[in-house]
Every structure is written in C-alpha cells, then in structure tokens.
Amino acid sequence: LDPNGPAFDVDLLDPFFTDPFDEVVSKISSTSKLFLQFLINPVLTPLTVAKTSSRVFSSSTFWPVLISLSIFLFMFIFLHLLQLAVDGAWALAWISYIAFGSGISIVRSRARTHLNIPGHPLEDLCVSLLLYPCVALQLEISTDPAKINKKINNKNQEQKINKGFSYSMDSVPAILVNSKVA
C-alpha cells in the first residue's frame, strides 16, 4: 500500500486524538468535533451509512440500507435484553450484529471503489465490526459532496497550472551539447 496514495479524508482513529501532541494541539477544534460526532454515531450510524450508500451506489439505496441497518442494530440490543428472559438469545444478537457490520462493510467497500482507495473487503468487514462508529464517520466525511467538489476544483486548478507550465516550457529552446567520445 502506498502511504501517499489515495486514502479516506479521516483516519479511523482520528476522533481519539491519536496524532502527535503538536498536531493535536494545532487541530484541537476539528479533532474535538470528530470526537463529538463519534459519540453520537453509535445511534446515528444507520442514517450516516444510508446517506453514504445513496452517494456511492444510487439514491434508491437510501431507504433499504437505513431500514435494514436500523433493524439489525435494534435486534442486537433487543436480543441481548431478551437474554435476561430467554436463554440463548445472545447468539441471535451476535448474528444480527454481524449482519449489521456486514452491511456497513459493503458500503465501505463500495466507497473505496468510488474514491479509488485500495483495500480489501475483509479489512472493511473487520473495521466495520470493531469500530463501526468511526467507519460511519469516515464514510460521511470522505463522501461529502461539498468536499468532493472542492477536491475536483483544486485538481482542475492544479491541472491548469501544470498545463500553463508545460506551455511555458515549450517556448524554452532546447540546448544540444555535442560530446565526442575519445
């Protein structure tokens, strides 16, 4: 993997102030905002992932993703509470959670493809199961249409600058040096 290649706009552990101390101090407001979003995301993850799904798949995927992820998350919590009365409900709860994490990993894998970010679906599944609020936050920020449009505009400006540079280099005469081999 190329460390300078395409990547998500936010790393998975950024909400936890994991940067070096001098960077954390310089970006304390943005990191604090990420941390607050992380605290809200365990409940809002189905909505966040559904919005991302509508951006990377199609707008018709919003409601099916929202409903299915909400049901799986609700069933995970409900079946754990049901365990108090019915022995063995915990197993169905974890199956619901795995289905929930799988749904998130499918959207993350598609976002990788959409953003040309290298990676493996198994990696997407693992981080979706272990850090789903961070994954949802990462997807929301990285697929935000306003930021994508800003990146495209910056890339177009950079191409114009480079094109202008190449035109200016065309006017520079080439200097040929004749060297004789003895």
Side-chain angles (χ1 to χ4, degrees):
L1 292 173
D2 181 14
N4 297 321
F8 287 107
D9 292 343
V10 176
D11 291 329
L12 283 173
L13 299 178
D14 279 356
F16 301 118
F17 302 92
T18 56
D19 289 328
F21 183 73
D22 56 337
E23 287 182 36
V24 168
V25 170
S26 66
K27 344 183 260 191
I28 191 76
S29 65
S30 63
T31 307
S32 298
K33 183 180 174 186
L34 285 176
F35 182 71
L36 291 175
Q37 287 176 314
F38 166 78
L39 292 177
I40 295 169
N41 250 349
V43 178
L44 295 181
T45 294
L47 176 64
T48 304
V49 175
K51 286 192 294 189
T52 301
S53 174
S54 69
R55 292 176 191 150
V56 297
F57 283 107
S58 71
S59 59
S60 64
T61 62
F62 177 82
W63 288 107
V65 170
L66 177 64
I67 292 168
S68 62
L69 291 180
S70 297
I71 288 172
F72 288 136
L73 185 59
F74 171 76
M75 291 303 292
F76 175 68
I77 296 166
F78 175 74
L79 289 169
H80 270 295
L81 293 174
L82 188 63
Q83 175 65 28
L84 299 172
V86 179
D87 193 35
W90 65 269
L92 292 175
W94 282 102
I95 290 172
S96 295
Y97 184 76
I98 291 169
F100 173 74
S102 297
I104 294 172
S105 71
I106 290 168
V107 174
R108 188 173 195 260
S109 181
R110 178 60 183 215
R112 278 184 180 281
T113 304
H114 183 74
L115 299 170
N116 295 320
I117 299 172
H120 196 275
L122 186 58
E123 173 190 352
D124 296 331
L125 178 63
C126 290
V127 296
S128 296
L129 290 173
L130 296 174
L131 293 168
Y132 79 87
C134 293
V135 170
L137 183 62
Q138 183 183 57
L139 291 173
E140 181 179 25
I141 292 171
S142 296
T143 62
D144 184 18
K147 289 187 180 187
I148 289 175
N149 290 337
K150 187 177 179 181
K151 281 183 189 177
I152 290 171
N153 289 340
N154 288 345
K155 188 174 182 180
N156 289 340
Q157 282 181 327
E158 190 175 303
Q159 286 175 344
K160 285 180 184 177
I161 291 169
N162 289 341
K163 196 173 191 179
F165 179 73
S166 67
Y167 287 147
S168 67
M169 290 303 292
D170 290 341
S171 63
V172 175
I175 299 173
L176 296 175
V177 178
N178 291 330
S179 60
K180 295 182 182 180
V181 177

